[in-house]
Amino acid sequence: LDEITSGLDSENALIVMKLLKKMCVSLRVAAAVVIHQPSMEVFERFDRLVLLSRGRSIYSDKLSGLPTFYDDVLQHKMPETHHIPTDLLRHASNWECQLSNSAPSDSVPIVNDRHAGRDAKQDSSAGVGEETMSTNGSKSQPPSQHGTSDLPETSPELFTSSRELQAFTAPQVSMFWKFRTVFSRNLQNHYVRNLTNLAARLVIYGSTSLSVSLIFWDIGNIDDDPSTMNEQARYVVGAGLFLSQCSFLLPFSQISTFFFDKSVFASESALALYPSWMYSVSQFLLEAWVLALASLVQTTIAKPMMSLSNPAWSESESFFTLLAFFIISGLTGNALILLTCMVAFSQDLGFLLGCTVVTISLAASGGFVPFAIIPESIRWLQWISPVKYSLQIFIMALFDGTDTTIVQALDLDVPSDITHNILVLIFMFALCAVTTIVTMSFQREVR
């Protein structure tokens, strides 16, 4: 917020700051405010202070650290409370002069990390008979006392030190802390402070599974009669196809969130604050636990209502295999939609592109139309359809080790086991994630 009290009298300026402080506390958000010449009443509303002098930070800490700042850096007695804002601005305006007048002959005060967030190299120019300090702390000879003795000596070193002072060098921050910042910000913005959206997603996943389960009630209860076993199993394949479809369609609800993250990265890319992979990886990690929770809800609802159990397995094996089916399908669908959002220029185009990709994946999955009927020229689409591998995990989880031959009859047996189908989906997920990171690195803000 830039100069929000400018043009206001002292009473209204205080009212605005009180309101802002109340909003920050109640909403649990932080506000960065640029303000000039605040009164003490306004100044006391702040929790932290960043004091600048000619573009450089000379203090950055809590207000409670000001006594230490006065003692250690300014070497000046802290004034009365109501004079503190004015006194700080005076010191900031005269910062260069203070350094040259108060520093010993062999050193220059350095503002440490606690006050400025980084070591600030100070440079000062002196008049007749005074020593000048270069940025590395070495002494230079005083200027000549003849002729232009009241002017600073112009030398290459002077211009070099000026350039050094104007160039801001960001502190070296570890990749872990950068990733932690991006991850925490996404966690707070999309989940902690938006619990309604999180709850709504879980309700949608649960209600969708409930609706499909009611339609396909007890569909997995197959008779032992060999003459009708495959026909009944064909209905189970149809139910599994709808459950797979949910995993690839429900991530569309996150398109607005994905585009928001994309715009945030584009606006910050010019500053090179964080690499593109941090945005993508943090989003994938945050979505992973949400999808795992949603998958648990889906499995808990669908398994008993649709009688989705493999008679050759234990109930726990069937449950956790179905849970893995929902999780890996949801993650792959989520990564696919995120990638389309990174490629598209607008939300509408991202929605259209995502619908196209998912529709083709469903059509080429082998669940609606057997591969033998699909024209050979486009039959190869099955190998890049994530829905195919998701569907194969589902039907293998129910019919592996039984007398049912529906898997072979529909040519849904390549790869031939659950583990390899899961590995294929993991590879597709990783491929989408890497492509998303690369695509995001080319994003730039358009104004």
Side-chain angles (χ1 to χ4, degrees):
L1 304 174
D2 188 17
E3 301 185 36
I4 60 174
T5 60
S6 295
L8 300 179
D9 55 51
S10 58
E11 181 179 359
N12 285 316
L14 181 58
I15 291 174
V16 169
M17 292 308 303
K18 284 182 177 179
L19 178 61
L20 179 62
K21 183 62 177 288
K22 184 177 180 180
M23 291 174 60
C24 290
V25 172
S26 60
L27 298 178
R28 298 175 62 191
V29 297
V33 181
V34 178
I35 191 168
H36 298 283
Q37 297 181 329
S39 64
M40 190 58 204
E41 290 78 8
V42 170
F43 185 74
E44 288 178 336
R45 305 296 164 186
F46 292 95
D47 300 303
R48 301 183 68 91
L49 169 67
V50 178
L51 185 62
L52 303 180
S53 175
R54 294 174 174 84
R56 288 175 294 159
S57 173
I58 62 175
Y59 181 85
S60 179
D61 204 347
K62 296 181 180 180
L63 296 187
S64 58
L66 283 175
T68 305
F69 176 66
Y70 268 93
D71 294 340
D72 297 347
V73 179
L74 298 181
Q75 299 179 1
H76 187 275
K77 182 180 179 181
M78 190 170 176
E80 298 293 333
T81 302
H82 58 282
H83 289 310
I84 291 177
T86 304
D87 189 65
L88 287 173
L89 291 176
R90 180 178 63 82
H91 283 294
S93 299
N94 301 324
W95 185 250
E96 297 293 339
C97 295
Q98 286 184 199
L99 292 178
S100 60
N101 293 331
S102 63
S105 60
D106 58 345
S107 64
V108 176
I110 299 296
V111 184
N112 60 28
D113 289 340
R114 181 180 59 181
H115 298 299
R118 64 186 181 91
D119 289 346
K121 294 181 179 180
Q122 306 296 343
D123 177 50
S124 57
S125 297
V128 179
E130 295 182 354
E131 296 177 339
T132 60
M133 305 296 298
S134 66
T135 56
N136 59 9
S138 60
K139 297 181 181 181
S140 60
Q141 297 298 322
S144 172
Q145 299 187 21
H146 301 283
T148 58
S149 59
D150 56 337
L151 296 176
E153 180 184 1
T154 57
S155 64
E157 289 77 9
L158 177 63
F159 291 104
T160 301
S161 60
S162 299
R163 286 194 296 270
E164 290 177 354
L165 289 174
Q166 293 173 2
F168 174 78
T169 303
Q172 295 298 321
V173 181
S174 66
M175 283 294 179
F176 170 78
W177 283 105
K178 287 184 178 182
F179 178 75
R180 180 178 178 272
T181 300
V182 175
F183 182 86
S184 300
R185 182 174 63 184
N186 287 348
L187 175 64
Q188 291 288 331
N189 291 339
H190 300 324
Y191 302 95
V192 177
R193 295 175 182 164
N194 201 358
L195 293 176
T196 303
N197 179 63
L198 177 60
R201 290 182 64 188
L202 295 178
V203 170
I204 291 173
Y205 273 83
S207 60
T208 302
S209 297
L210 181 62
S211 301
V212 174
S213 299
L214 288 173
I215 295 172
F216 296 101
W217 179 269
D218 203 29
I219 194 70
N221 190 10
I222 299 177
D223 298 334
D224 294 333
D225 186 358
S227 61
T228 60
M229 184 180 297
N230 281 339
E231 183 179 354
Q232 291 177 334
R234 186 67 180 86
Y235 303 146
V236 178
V237 173
L241 185 61
F242 273 91
L243 291 176
S244 298
Q245 180 176 302
C246 293
S247 299
F248 287 89
L249 291 179
L250 289 177
F252 278 87
S253 63
Q254 288 298 99
I255 285 183
S256 60
T257 299
F258 295 157
F259 268 91
F260 173 79
D261 289 338
K262 178 181 176 180
S263 63
V264 170
F265 171 75
S267 62
E268 295 180 346
S269 60
L271 301 176
L273 295 177
Y274 312 105
S276 59
W277 66 265
M278 291 186 179
Y279 295 82
S280 300
V281 173
S282 63
Q283 189 62 52
F284 285 131
L285 290 177
L286 290 171
E287 281 295 297
W289 77 268
V290 175
L291 291 172
L293 187 59
S295 299
L296 181 61
V297 173
Q298 288 178 292
T299 307
T300 304
I301 294 174
K303 185 183 182 301
M305 295 181 65
M306 299 172 65
S307 300
L308 300 178
S309 297
N310 188 326
W313 294 358
S314 65
E315 286 296 321
S316 60
E317 286 179 316
S318 297
F319 180 87
F320 286 108
T321 304
L322 285 175
L323 179 61
F325 154 74
F326 280 115
I327 291 177
I328 191 60
S329 300
L331 286 174
T332 307
N334 194 275
L336 195 61
I337 301 304
L338 178 58
L339 175 58
T340 58
C341 290
M342 293 302 108
V343 174
F345 298 104
S346 65
Q347 288 194 36
D348 294 335
L349 184 58
F351 186 85
L352 179 61
L353 184 59
C355 288
T356 302
V357 173
V358 173
T359 301
I360 294 175
S361 297
L362 286 169
S365 64
F368 289 109
V369 180
F371 295 126
I373 300 178
I374 298 177
E376 189 173 354
S377 59
I378 60 173
R379 197 177 300 171
W380 59 270
L381 288 173
Q382 64 172 300
W383 306 117
I384 60 173
S385 169
V387 182
K388 162 188 162 65
Y389 303 102
S390 175
L391 179 60
Q392 290 182 170
I393 294 173
F394 176 82
I395 61 177
M396 289 179 183
L398 296 181
F399 303 132
D400 188 31
T402 66
D403 296 331
T404 307
T405 59
I406 189 66
V407 177
Q408 293 77 18
L410 295 177
D411 294 329
L412 293 173
D413 56 352
V414 181
S416 59
D417 58 80
I418 294 175
T419 302
H420 284 87
N421 280 279
I422 291 177
L423 290 176
V424 171
L425 286 180
I426 292 176
F427 172 76
M428 287 186 169
F429 169 80
L431 183 62
C432 288
V434 172
T435 308
T436 298
I437 294 172
V438 174
T439 305
M440 184 177 283
S441 64
F442 291 98
Q443 300 296 326
R444 296 295 181 268
E445 185 177 22
V446 179
R447 299 186 178 183

